[in-house]
Amino acid sequence: MNHDTFLETGRRVIEREADALTLLHSALDMEFSKAVALMLKAKGRVIVSGMGKSGHIARKIAATLASTGTPAHFVHPAEASHGDLGMMAQGDVALVLSNSGETPELADVIAYTRRFNIPMIGIASRAGSTLLKQADVALLLPPAKEACGTGIVPTTSTTMTLALGDALAIAMMEHRQFTPENFRDFHPGGKLGARLSKVRDLMHSGDAVPLICFDTPMPDALIEISRKGFGVVGVTGENGALAGIITDGDLRRHMDGLLERRADEVMTPDPRTISPGALAEEAVAQMNGLGNTRPVLCLFVVEDSRPLGILHIHDCLRAGVG
C-alpha cells in the first residue's frame, strides 16, 4: 500500500471542498437574505426535503434548524407521494434540495407547494433547473467540481449545501438572539446538554430539603441533618428567608454546650447560594471554591431569599457536569 498516495488524495479532496466553500462565500447574494426572511416569517414549520445524498443533508439541516429555535422537520420525497404531503400545510415554508434541480421524486413535493401556496426555497447547482424556476427563492450553488476524479460522487456539492443550511440556521438563530440556555431546552441530552443543565433540573426540592427554623433546639437540628443526609441544614428566619446554614464545621466549633444551644446561635449567617435558573456549571464553580472562597459540597437554591432546593456536588457529577 502506498500511504503517501492516500495522504495526497485526502489533502486534494479537502482542498477542493475548501475551495468550493470559498466560491460559495463569494456567491451569496440577496437571495440568501430573502430565504432567511421567508423562514423567519413562517407561522408554521420549515419542511426540508431532498432525495439520496441531498436527503441526508436535508435531515441534518432540519435537525440544526429545530435545535436552534426554528421549528422544522424532514419529509422524505418518496414517502410524501404516499401520504406524507399532508405533513405540509399553509403557514409552512418548504426548503427543497437537489443538486441537479431535476430529481424526479421531488415532483410531487414541488407541485404540492405550488398548489397550496406554500412558499418554497430551492437549493440546486443548475440555474435553469425545474426546482429553481419553480422556487419562490432560488439559492444557486456556484460551479465547483466534485471532489472525486470522475465528478459523479456527490461530495463538494453536498458540502456546500450543508454549509448553506448551517448559514441559514445561524442567521435566524442570531436574529432571534438565541442563547446557549435556549439551545439546552432543545438539546437536553448528551455532554452538551449536561453542560447547559440548569440548577433547577438537578436540585432536590420539597421535603428532601433540610430546613429548620432559627429557634430550633440543636438536638432537633442534628436529627434533621442526619435524616436528610446532606451533612448540612438550612436555617430560616421568621419570614421564611434563608438566614444561615449549619455545617459539620459549625458543629465542631460549638461542641461546648452544643445541645443547649439554638440553631441561630450555631449557624453561619449569609451562606453562599445559587438561583434555580443558573447553569449547573456555575454551581460547580462555586462549590469548587470560585475565587478565594473555600470549597463546599452543597449549595442551597434560593429565589427571592427563600430556599427552594439544595444541590450537592454529586448531583452535578452524576449528570456529567464538572
Side-chain angles (χ1 to χ4, degrees), residues 50-95:
M51 192 69 190
K53 303 297 185 297
S54 293
H56 294 304
I57 300 301
R59 287 183 186 275
K60 194 276 178 185
I61 293 174
T64 300
L65 290 169
S67 66
T68 52
T70 300
H73 64 247
F74 171 78
V75 171
H76 195 288
E79 297 295 336
S81 299
H82 295 275
D84 282 2
L85 283 172
M87 298 175 72
M88 287 191 286
Q90 289 186 335
D92 293 339
V93 171
L95 177 61

mmCIF file of all heavy atoms in Angstrom, residues 50-95:
data_model
loop_
_atom_site.group_PDB
_atom_site.id
_atom_site.type_symbol
_atom_site.label_atom_id
_atom_site.label_comp_id
_atom_site.label_asym_id
_atom_site.label_seq_id
_atom_site.Cartn_x
_atom_site.Cartn_y
_atom_site.Cartn_z
ATOM 1 N N GLY A 50 -35.330 16.328 0.416
ATOM 2 C CA GLY A 50 -34.302 16.031 -0.566
ATOM 3 C C GLY A 50 -34.205 14.528 -0.729
ATOM 4 O O GLY A 50 -34.640 13.770 0.143
ATOM 5 N N MET A 51 -33.638 14.100 -1.840
ATOM 6 C CA MET A 51 -33.554 12.672 -2.159
ATOM 7 C C MET A 51 -32.093 12.234 -2.195
ATOM 8 O O MET A 51 -31.216 13.003 -2.599
ATOM 9 C CB MET A 51 -34.223 12.400 -3.519
ATOM 10 C CG MET A 51 -34.458 10.931 -3.814
ATOM 11 S SD MET A 51 -35.745 10.239 -2.733
ATOM 12 C CE MET A 51 -35.552 8.486 -3.111
ATOM 13 N N GLY A 52 -31.830 10.994 -1.796
ATOM 14 C CA GLY A 52 -30.472 10.462 -1.863
ATOM 15 C C GLY A 52 -29.539 11.194 -0.922
ATOM 16 O O GLY A 52 -29.854 11.447 0.239
ATOM 17 N N LYS A 53 -28.346 11.547 -1.439
ATOM 18 C CA LYS A 53 -27.378 12.259 -0.599
ATOM 19 C C LYS A 53 -27.938 13.600 -0.140
ATOM 20 O O LYS A 53 -27.691 14.031 0.989
ATOM 21 C CB LYS A 53 -26.059 12.476 -1.371
ATOM 22 C CG LYS A 53 -25.394 11.203 -1.890
ATOM 23 C CD LYS A 53 -24.984 10.278 -0.763
ATOM 24 C CE LYS A 53 -24.213 9.085 -1.286
ATOM 25 N NZ LYS A 53 -25.008 8.223 -2.189
ATOM 26 N N SER A 54 -28.701 14.265 -1.014
ATOM 27 C CA SER A 54 -29.327 15.525 -0.616
ATOM 28 C C SER A 54 -30.314 15.297 0.523
ATOM 29 O O SER A 54 -30.517 16.180 1.364
ATOM 30 C CB SER A 54 -30.054 16.163 -1.805
ATOM 31 O OG SER A 54 -29.137 16.577 -2.793
ATOM 32 N N GLY A 55 -30.913 14.122 0.555
ATOM 33 C CA GLY A 55 -31.830 13.790 1.651
ATOM 34 C C GLY A 55 -31.107 13.701 2.977
ATOM 35 O O GLY A 55 -31.615 14.157 4.013
ATOM 36 N N HIS A 56 -29.910 13.110 2.965
ATOM 37 C CA HIS A 56 -29.131 13.031 4.200
ATOM 38 C C HIS A 56 -28.768 14.438 4.690
ATOM 39 O O HIS A 56 -28.826 14.721 5.893
ATOM 40 C CB HIS A 56 -27.859 12.221 3.975
ATOM 41 C CG HIS A 56 -28.109 10.776 3.674
ATOM 42 N ND1 HIS A 56 -28.826 9.950 4.509
ATOM 43 C CD2 HIS A 56 -27.736 9.998 2.617
ATOM 44 C CE1 HIS A 56 -28.883 8.738 3.998
ATOM 45 N NE2 HIS A 56 -28.232 8.745 2.838
ATOM 46 N N ILE A 57 -28.386 15.295 3.749
ATOM 47 C CA ILE A 57 -28.068 16.675 4.120
ATOM 48 C C ILE A 57 -29.322 17.385 4.624
ATOM 49 O O ILE A 57 -29.276 18.153 5.594
ATOM 50 C CB ILE A 57 -27.469 17.432 2.919
ATOM 51 C CG1 ILE A 57 -26.176 16.759 2.448
ATOM 52 C CG2 ILE A 57 -27.214 18.880 3.282
ATOM 53 C CD1 ILE A 57 -25.085 16.669 3.491
ATOM 54 N N ALA A 58 -30.455 17.119 3.977
ATOM 55 C CA ALA A 58 -31.715 17.753 4.390
ATOM 56 C C ALA A 58 -32.082 17.371 5.821
ATOM 57 O O ALA A 58 -32.562 18.209 6.590
ATOM 58 C CB ALA A 58 -32.836 17.359 3.427
ATOM 59 N N ARG A 59 -31.863 16.113 6.189
ATOM 60 C CA ARG A 59 -32.153 15.681 7.566
ATOM 61 C C ARG A 59 -31.307 16.469 8.566
ATOM 62 O O ARG A 59 -31.783 16.890 9.623
ATOM 63 C CB ARG A 59 -31.880 14.180 7.717
ATOM 64 C CG ARG A 59 -32.906 13.285 7.055
ATOM 65 C CD ARG A 59 -32.567 11.827 7.325
ATOM 66 N NE ARG A 59 -33.437 10.911 6.598
ATOM 67 C CZ ARG A 59 -34.635 10.501 7.026
ATOM 68 N NH1 ARG A 59 -35.075 10.930 8.191
ATOM 69 N NH2 ARG A 59 -35.353 9.680 6.293
ATOM 70 N N LYS A 60 -30.034 16.638 8.232
ATOM 71 C CA LYS A 60 -29.149 17.357 9.145
ATOM 72 C C LYS A 60 -29.565 18.820 9.248
ATOM 73 O O LYS A 60 -29.567 19.402 10.342
ATOM 74 C CB LYS A 60 -27.698 17.229 8.651
ATOM 75 C CG LYS A 60 -26.653 17.636 9.693
ATOM 76 C CD LYS A 60 -26.402 19.134 9.710
ATOM 77 C CE LYS A 60 -25.390 19.533 10.777
ATOM 78 N NZ LYS A 60 -25.243 21.016 10.854
ATOM 79 N N ILE A 61 -29.921 19.441 8.136
ATOM 80 C CA ILE A 61 -30.347 20.838 8.167
ATOM 81 C C ILE A 61 -31.613 20.986 9.006
ATOM 82 O O ILE A 61 -31.731 21.919 9.815
ATOM 83 C CB ILE A 61 -30.571 21.375 6.739
ATOM 84 C CG1 ILE A 61 -29.228 21.452 5.994
ATOM 85 C CG2 ILE A 61 -31.250 22.738 6.762
ATOM 86 C CD1 ILE A 61 -29.351 21.836 4.524
ATOM 87 N N ALA A 62 -32.550 20.070 8.829
ATOM 88 C CA ALA A 62 -33.785 20.119 9.629
ATOM 89 C C ALA A 62 -33.470 20.005 11.117
ATOM 90 O O ALA A 62 -34.045 20.717 11.952
ATOM 91 C CB ALA A 62 -34.743 19.005 9.196
ATOM 92 N N ALA A 63 -32.538 19.115 11.462
ATOM 93 C CA ALA A 63 -32.168 18.938 12.862
ATOM 94 C C ALA A 63 -31.496 20.195 13.411
ATOM 95 O O ALA A 63 -31.750 20.606 14.556
ATOM 96 C CB ALA A 63 -31.239 17.740 13.006
ATOM 97 N N THR A 64 -30.638 20.820 12.612
ATOM 98 C CA THR A 64 -29.968 22.042 13.052
ATOM 99 C C THR A 64 -30.975 23.175 13.246
ATOM 100 O O THR A 64 -30.914 23.915 14.233
ATOM 101 C CB THR A 64 -28.894 22.466 12.030
ATOM 102 O OG1 THR A 64 -27.926 21.427 11.911
ATOM 103 C CG2 THR A 64 -28.198 23.740 12.466
ATOM 104 N N LEU A 65 -31.897 23.314 12.320
ATOM 105 C CA LEU A 65 -32.934 24.336 12.457
ATOM 106 C C LEU A 65 -33.744 24.118 13.727
ATOM 107 O O LEU A 65 -33.960 25.045 14.513
ATOM 108 C CB LEU A 65 -33.858 24.319 11.235
ATOM 109 C CG LEU A 65 -33.279 24.814 9.908
ATOM 110 C CD1 LEU A 65 -34.226 24.488 8.754
ATOM 111 C CD2 LEU A 65 -33.019 26.318 9.958
ATOM 112 N N ALA A 66 -34.179 22.883 13.948
ATOM 113 C CA ALA A 66 -35.031 22.588 15.100
ATOM 114 C C ALA A 66 -34.329 22.853 16.421
ATOM 115 O O ALA A 66 -34.952 23.291 17.388
ATOM 116 C CB ALA A 66 -35.505 21.135 15.030
ATOM 117 N N SER A 67 -33.014 22.588 16.471
ATOM 118 C CA SER A 67 -32.293 22.752 17.733
ATOM 119 C C SER A 67 -31.837 24.185 17.971
ATOM 120 O O SER A 67 -31.311 24.492 19.043
ATOM 121 C CB SER A 67 -31.074 21.823 17.772
ATOM 122 O OG SER A 67 -30.112 22.196 16.807
ATOM 123 N N THR A 68 -32.052 25.060 16.989
ATOM 124 C CA THR A 68 -31.639 26.450 17.153
ATOM 125 C C THR A 68 -32.836 27.398 17.101
ATOM 126 O O THR A 68 -32.682 28.588 16.809
ATOM 127 C CB THR A 68 -30.616 26.857 16.073
ATOM 128 O OG1 THR A 68 -31.121 26.527 14.770
ATOM 129 C CG2 THR A 68 -29.305 26.132 16.273
ATOM 130 N N GLY A 69 -34.016 26.881 17.399
ATOM 131 C CA GLY A 69 -35.182 27.740 17.573
ATOM 132 C C GLY A 69 -36.102 27.882 16.393
ATOM 133 O O GLY A 69 -37.074 28.631 16.459
ATOM 134 N N THR A 70 -35.832 27.177 15.281
ATOM 135 C CA THR A 70 -36.715 27.227 14.119
ATOM 136 C C THR A 70 -37.420 25.883 13.977
ATOM 137 O O THR A 70 -36.779 24.891 13.612
ATOM 138 C CB THR A 70 -35.927 27.531 12.829
ATOM 139 O OG1 THR A 70 -35.270 28.796 12.964
ATOM 140 C CG2 THR A 70 -36.848 27.581 11.622
ATOM 141 N N PRO A 71 -38.721 25.792 14.270
ATOM 142 C CA PRO A 71 -39.424 24.520 14.129
ATOM 143 C C PRO A 71 -39.273 23.963 12.713
ATOM 144 O O PRO A 71 -39.541 24.663 11.731
ATOM 145 C CB PRO A 71 -40.890 24.877 14.429
ATOM 146 C CG PRO A 71 -40.798 26.111 15.278
ATOM 147 C CD PRO A 71 -39.597 26.872 14.750
ATOM 148 N N ALA A 72 -38.808 22.734 12.610
ATOM 149 C CA ALA A 72 -38.527 22.147 11.298
ATOM 150 C C ALA A 72 -38.599 20.643 11.377
ATOM 151 O O ALA A 72 -38.359 20.061 12.438
ATOM 152 C CB ALA A 72 -37.134 22.576 10.807
ATOM 153 N N HIS A 73 -38.937 20.005 10.270
ATOM 154 C CA HIS A 73 -38.786 18.557 10.169
ATOM 155 C C HIS A 73 -38.553 18.147 8.720
ATOM 156 O O HIS A 73 -38.827 18.904 7.792
ATOM 157 C CB HIS A 73 -39.969 17.789 10.798
ATOM 158 C CG HIS A 73 -41.285 17.999 10.120
ATOM 159 N ND1 HIS A 73 -42.326 18.656 10.719
ATOM 160 C CD2 HIS A 73 -41.749 17.621 8.909
ATOM 161 C CE1 HIS A 73 -43.368 18.671 9.911
ATOM 162 N NE2 HIS A 73 -43.039 18.046 8.811
ATOM 163 N N PHE A 74 -38.013 16.945 8.576
ATOM 164 C CA PHE A 74 -37.673 16.400 7.260
ATOM 165 C C PHE A 74 -38.841 15.588 6.723
ATOM 166 O O PHE A 74 -39.462 14.810 7.458
ATOM 167 C CB PHE A 74 -36.434 15.515 7.387
ATOM 168 C CG PHE A 74 -36.114 14.727 6.141
ATOM 169 C CD1 PHE A 74 -35.500 15.333 5.057
ATOM 170 C CD2 PHE A 74 -36.439 13.382 6.061
ATOM 171 C CE1 PHE A 74 -35.210 14.603 3.906
ATOM 172 C CE2 PHE A 74 -36.154 12.643 4.920
ATOM 173 C CZ PHE A 74 -35.540 13.257 3.837
ATOM 174 N N VAL A 75 -39.132 15.761 5.451
ATOM 175 C CA VAL A 75 -40.128 14.944 4.760
ATOM 176 C C VAL A 75 -39.436 14.240 3.599
ATOM 177 O O VAL A 75 -38.864 14.906 2.718
ATOM 178 C CB VAL A 75 -41.306 15.792 4.248
ATOM 179 C CG1 VAL A 75 -42.219 14.955 3.349
ATOM 180 C CG2 VAL A 75 -42.105 16.346 5.411
ATOM 181 N N HIS A 76 -39.464 12.911 3.602
ATOM 182 C CA HIS A 76 -38.864 12.141 2.518
ATOM 183 C C HIS A 76 -39.735 12.277 1.276
ATOM 184 O O HIS A 76 -40.943 12.024 1.331
ATOM 185 C CB HIS A 76 -38.748 10.672 2.933
ATOM 186 C CG HIS A 76 -37.847 9.874 2.048
ATOM 187 N ND1 HIS A 76 -38.203 9.529 0.752
ATOM 188 C CD2 HIS A 76 -36.610 9.360 2.263
ATOM 189 C CE1 HIS A 76 -37.228 8.826 0.212
ATOM 190 N NE2 HIS A 76 -36.247 8.711 1.106
ATOM 191 N N PRO A 77 -39.176 12.675 0.139
ATOM 192 C CA PRO A 77 -40.000 12.918 -1.048
ATOM 193 C C PRO A 77 -40.746 11.687 -1.549
ATOM 194 O O PRO A 77 -41.871 11.809 -2.043
ATOM 195 C CB PRO A 77 -38.995 13.428 -2.092
ATOM 196 C CG PRO A 77 -37.654 13.021 -1.589
ATOM 197 C CD PRO A 77 -37.752 12.992 -0.103
ATOM 198 N N ALA A 78 -40.147 10.506 -1.425
ATOM 199 C CA ALA A 78 -40.856 9.296 -1.857
ATOM 200 C C ALA A 78 -42.036 9.011 -0.943
ATOM 201 O O ALA A 78 -43.128 8.642 -1.410
ATOM 202 C CB ALA A 78 -39.894 8.107 -1.884
ATOM 203 N N GLU A 79 -41.838 9.179 0.369
ATOM 204 C CA GLU A 79 -42.948 8.982 1.304
ATOM 205 C C GLU A 79 -44.001 10.075 1.135
ATOM 206 O O GLU A 79 -45.183 9.842 1.380
ATOM 207 C CB GLU A 79 -42.424 8.985 2.742
ATOM 208 C CG GLU A 79 -41.460 7.855 3.080
ATOM 209 C CD GLU A 79 -42.129 6.493 3.018
ATOM 210 O OE1 GLU A 79 -43.367 6.421 3.169
ATOM 211 O OE2 GLU A 79 -41.417 5.499 2.805
ATOM 212 N N ALA A 80 -43.558 11.264 0.735
ATOM 213 C CA ALA A 80 -44.504 12.358 0.527
ATOM 214 C C ALA A 80 -45.547 11.984 -0.520
ATOM 215 O O ALA A 80 -46.728 12.330 -0.390
ATOM 216 C CB ALA A 80 -43.756 13.616 0.090
ATOM 217 N N SER A 81 -45.122 11.254 -1.555
ATOM 218 C CA SER A 81 -46.051 10.848 -2.614
ATOM 219 C C SER A 81 -47.034 9.791 -2.146
ATOM 220 O O SER A 81 -47.985 9.464 -2.868
ATOM 221 C CB SER A 81 -45.257 10.315 -3.813
ATOM 222 O OG SER A 81 -44.401 11.317 -4.326
ATOM 223 N N HIS A 82 -46.811 9.244 -0.962
ATOM 224 C CA HIS A 82 -47.690 8.189 -0.436
ATOM 225 C C HIS A 82 -48.326 8.608 0.879
ATOM 226 O O HIS A 82 -48.527 7.792 1.774
ATOM 227 C CB HIS A 82 -46.907 6.890 -0.267
ATOM 228 C CG HIS A 82 -46.419 6.311 -1.559
ATOM 229 N ND1 HIS A 82 -47.204 5.487 -2.348
ATOM 230 C CD2 HIS A 82 -45.252 6.470 -2.217
ATOM 231 C CE1 HIS A 82 -46.529 5.149 -3.441
ATOM 232 N NE2 HIS A 82 -45.333 5.736 -3.386
ATOM 233 N N GLY A 83 -48.640 9.896 0.999
ATOM 234 C CA GLY A 83 -49.388 10.361 2.154
ATOM 235 C C GLY A 83 -48.714 11.424 2.992
ATOM 236 O O GLY A 83 -49.399 12.186 3.684
ATOM 237 N N ASP A 84 -47.373 11.495 2.959
ATOM 238 C CA ASP A 84 -46.690 12.444 3.834
ATOM 239 C C ASP A 84 -46.749 13.886 3.348
ATOM 240 O O ASP A 84 -46.277 14.794 4.046
ATOM 241 C CB ASP A 84 -45.229 12.037 4.040
ATOM 242 C CG ASP A 84 -45.085 10.899 5.033
ATOM 243 O OD1 ASP A 84 -46.133 10.419 5.507
ATOM 244 O OD2 ASP A 84 -43.945 10.497 5.329
ATOM 245 N N LEU A 85 -47.341 14.118 2.164
ATOM 246 C CA LEU A 85 -47.559 15.501 1.754
ATOM 247 C C LEU A 85 -48.450 16.215 2.751
ATOM 248 O O LEU A 85 -48.390 17.443 2.903
ATOM 249 C CB LEU A 85 -48.190 15.549 0.354
ATOM 250 C CG LEU A 85 -47.246 15.279 -0.823
ATOM 251 C CD1 LEU A 85 -48.043 15.176 -2.119
ATOM 252 C CD2 LEU A 85 -46.187 16.374 -0.942
ATOM 253 N N GLY A 86 -49.266 15.443 3.454
ATOM 254 C CA GLY A 86 -50.134 16.017 4.473
ATOM 255 C C GLY A 86 -49.387 16.607 5.651
ATOM 256 O O GLY A 86 -49.975 17.287 6.499
ATOM 257 N N MET A 87 -48.063 16.337 5.723
ATOM 258 C CA MET A 87 -47.250 16.918 6.787
ATOM 259 C C MET A 87 -46.908 18.372 6.502
ATOM 260 O O MET A 87 -46.339 19.061 7.349
ATOM 261 C CB MET A 87 -45.969 16.099 6.978
ATOM 262 C CG MET A 87 -46.231 14.670 7.412
ATOM 263 S SD MET A 87 -44.742 13.653 7.500
ATOM 264 C CE MET A 87 -43.964 14.332 8.971
ATOM 265 N N MET A 88 -47.219 18.838 5.289
ATOM 266 C CA MET A 88 -47.033 20.243 4.937
ATOM 267 C C MET A 88 -48.374 20.944 4.947
ATOM 268 O O MET A 88 -49.388 20.371 4.543
ATOM 269 C CB MET A 88 -46.394 20.379 3.549
ATOM 270 C CG MET A 88 -44.928 20.009 3.496
ATOM 271 S SD MET A 88 -44.162 20.484 1.922
ATOM 272 C CE MET A 88 -44.859 19.237 0.836
ATOM 273 N N ALA A 89 -48.385 22.192 5.396
ATOM 274 C CA ALA A 89 -49.633 22.943 5.462
ATOM 275 C C ALA A 89 -49.357 24.417 5.204
ATOM 276 O O ALA A 89 -48.204 24.877 5.257
ATOM 277 C CB ALA A 89 -50.285 22.755 6.827
ATOM 278 N N GLN A 90 -50.404 25.156 4.916
ATOM 279 C CA GLN A 90 -50.256 26.593 4.747
ATOM 280 C C GLN A 90 -49.727 27.193 6.045
ATOM 281 O O GLN A 90 -50.148 26.822 7.142
ATOM 282 C CB GLN A 90 -51.594 27.217 4.353
ATOM 283 C CG GLN A 90 -52.007 26.854 2.932
ATOM 284 C CD GLN A 90 -53.266 27.580 2.493
ATOM 285 O OE1 GLN A 90 -54.070 27.964 3.323
ATOM 286 N NE2 GLN A 90 -53.438 27.755 1.189
ATOM 287 N N GLY A 91 -48.798 28.100 5.901
ATOM 288 C CA GLY A 91 -48.088 28.645 7.053
ATOM 289 C C GLY A 91 -46.684 28.092 7.162
ATOM 290 O O GLY A 91 -45.829 28.681 7.826
ATOM 291 N N ASP A 92 -46.465 26.929 6.506
ATOM 292 C CA ASP A 92 -45.131 26.340 6.465
ATOM 293 C C ASP A 92 -44.304 26.978 5.343
ATOM 294 O O ASP A 92 -44.833 27.684 4.478
ATOM 295 C CB ASP A 92 -45.201 24.827 6.216
ATOM 296 C CG ASP A 92 -45.815 24.063 7.373
ATOM 297 O OD1 ASP A 92 -45.831 24.601 8.496
ATOM 298 O OD2 ASP A 92 -46.267 22.928 7.154
ATOM 299 N N VAL A 93 -43.017 26.714 5.378
ATOM 300 C CA VAL A 93 -42.101 27.064 4.286
ATOM 301 C C VAL A 93 -41.347 25.796 3.911
ATOM 302 O O VAL A 93 -40.871 25.076 4.799
ATOM 303 C CB VAL A 93 -41.107 28.170 4.702
ATOM 304 C CG1 VAL A 93 -40.031 28.349 3.637
ATOM 305 C CG2 VAL A 93 -41.825 29.484 4.928
ATOM 306 N N ALA A 94 -41.251 25.511 2.619
ATOM 307 C CA ALA A 94 -40.516 24.329 2.157
ATOM 308 C C ALA A 94 -39.105 24.726 1.752
ATOM 309 O O ALA A 94 -38.898 25.736 1.073
ATOM 310 C CB ALA A 94 -41.239 23.679 0.981
ATOM 311 N N LEU A 95 -38.137 23.928 2.201
ATOM 312 C CA LEU A 95 -36.734 24.082 1.795
ATOM 313 C C LEU A 95 -36.358 22.800 1.071
ATOM 314 O O LEU A 95 -36.239 21.742 1.697
ATOM 315 C CB LEU A 95 -35.847 24.312 3.017
ATOM 316 C CG LEU A 95 -34.331 24.419 2.760
ATOM 317 C CD1 LEU A 95 -34.015 25.597 1.849
ATOM 318 C CD2 LEU A 95 -33.578 24.544 4.075
#
